[in-house]
Amino acid sequence: MEREKQCLEDAIAPPPYFAHGWGFSTLNTNVPSYMAKVLNFNIAGSGILSAAPYLLFWLVSIIVSAITDFVITRKYVTVGTARKVANSIGLYVPAVALIVLGLISDSKSDITIVTLVLLFIAIAINGSAYSGYRVNHMDLSLAHAGVLMGITNTIASISSIIAPLLLHFIVTNENDPLQWATIFYIAAPIYIVGNTIFLIFGSGETQPWNGP
């Protein structure tokens, strides 16, 4: 009984999903405003620039998924290890980028290029997590992957609601980079904690309760 309880805890792993949802929804819904108000970009005239991070996100998700499948198929690493590495890249790297972005927010120098690079990294590298927690449900149980996805996705959706609302209360002046820095400082540890929990409790093995 205790064994099956532990397996269930390993399988239903909303923390990385919640963390990814929080960070990515924060970036996804508010980066255009940040670029317009803080970096003084004309978003209407910079459609390509606004879309570029998400194009990179798409490319990263495809590239990392191919590499992950390759190392798993060749048995270079276990499924669990591959998922954890991909997930760590997808959450830890954006966390570091957001922390650095917050630290330089009050700089008196022109940090436009550096800020853009950090935002591109924070958004694009998220794609690596799609080869981590996102497909882990199928590793654990092909029979119940849909149910597991439903549970974790429901919990993660809460973060996608809370994060933009919190930003609305914290960023009362969209031209103030320090208020935006607070948002980055909140998202970064959520990324870190969520992935760390996945590293400790996550599994890539088919669970005993898998079946019809």
Side-chain angles (χ1 to χ4, degrees):
M1 183 68 180
E2 190 63 30
R3 166 69 175 172
E4 293 189 3
K5 179 181 178 182
Q6 181 61 50
C7 291
L8 186 59
E9 290 174 349
D10 288 343
I12 302 176
Y17 212 147
F18 183 93
H20 185 266
W22 184 291
F24 194 68
S25 64
T26 297
L27 293 165
N28 190 42
T29 58
N30 296 288
V31 161
S33 295
Y34 180 82
M35 293 173 67
K37 302 297 184 179
V38 177
L39 302 182
N40 296 315
F41 274 116
N42 178 9
I43 298 301
S46 305
I48 295 178
L49 185 61
S50 299
Y54 304 100
L55 173 61
L56 292 175
F57 173 92
W58 175 68
L59 292 173
V60 167
S61 64
I62 292 175
I63 293 170
V64 174
S65 66
I67 294 173
T68 302
D69 286 347
F70 177 80
V71 298
I72 290 175
T73 302
R74 293 299 183 92
K75 301 187 184 301
Y76 293 141
V77 297
T78 64
V79 174
T81 297
R83 300 295 181 224
K84 291 177 181 181
V85 170
N87 212 72
S88 295
I89 294 172
L91 270 64
Y92 282 157
V93 173
V96 172
L98 289 175
I99 291 172
V100 175
L101 190 58
L103 290 173
I104 67 173
S105 292
D106 61 344
S107 175
K108 303 305 180 182
S109 304
D110 184 2
I111 58 170
T112 301
I113 300 300
V114 175
T115 300
L116 284 175
V117 170
L118 289 171
L119 284 173
F120 275 41
I121 292 174
I123 294 173
I125 303 301
N126 269 277
S128 179
Y130 276 50
S131 296
Y133 79 88
R134 199 71 179 236
V135 296
N136 189 230
H137 308 82
M138 292 185 290
D139 300 326
L140 301 170
S141 173
L142 284 174
H144 305 297
V147 174
L148 296 177
M149 174 61 81
I151 294 172
T152 55
N153 191 50
T154 297
I155 295 175
S157 296
I158 297 174
S159 68
S160 299
I161 297 172
I162 297 175
L165 288 176
L166 185 63
L167 185 143
H168 174 74
F169 287 108
I170 293 177
V171 183
T172 55
N173 177 8
E174 292 185 328
N175 296 299
D176 186 351
L178 292 181
Q179 292 185 6
W180 284 96
T182 301
I183 295 299
F184 301 148
Y185 288 146
I186 292 173
I190 290 177
Y191 268 141
I192 292 170
V193 171
N195 187 68
T196 301
I197 292 174
F198 183 66
L199 290 179
I200 297 172
F201 298 106
S203 172
E205 304 298 323
T206 300
Q207 300 299 296
W209 39 265
N210 176 56

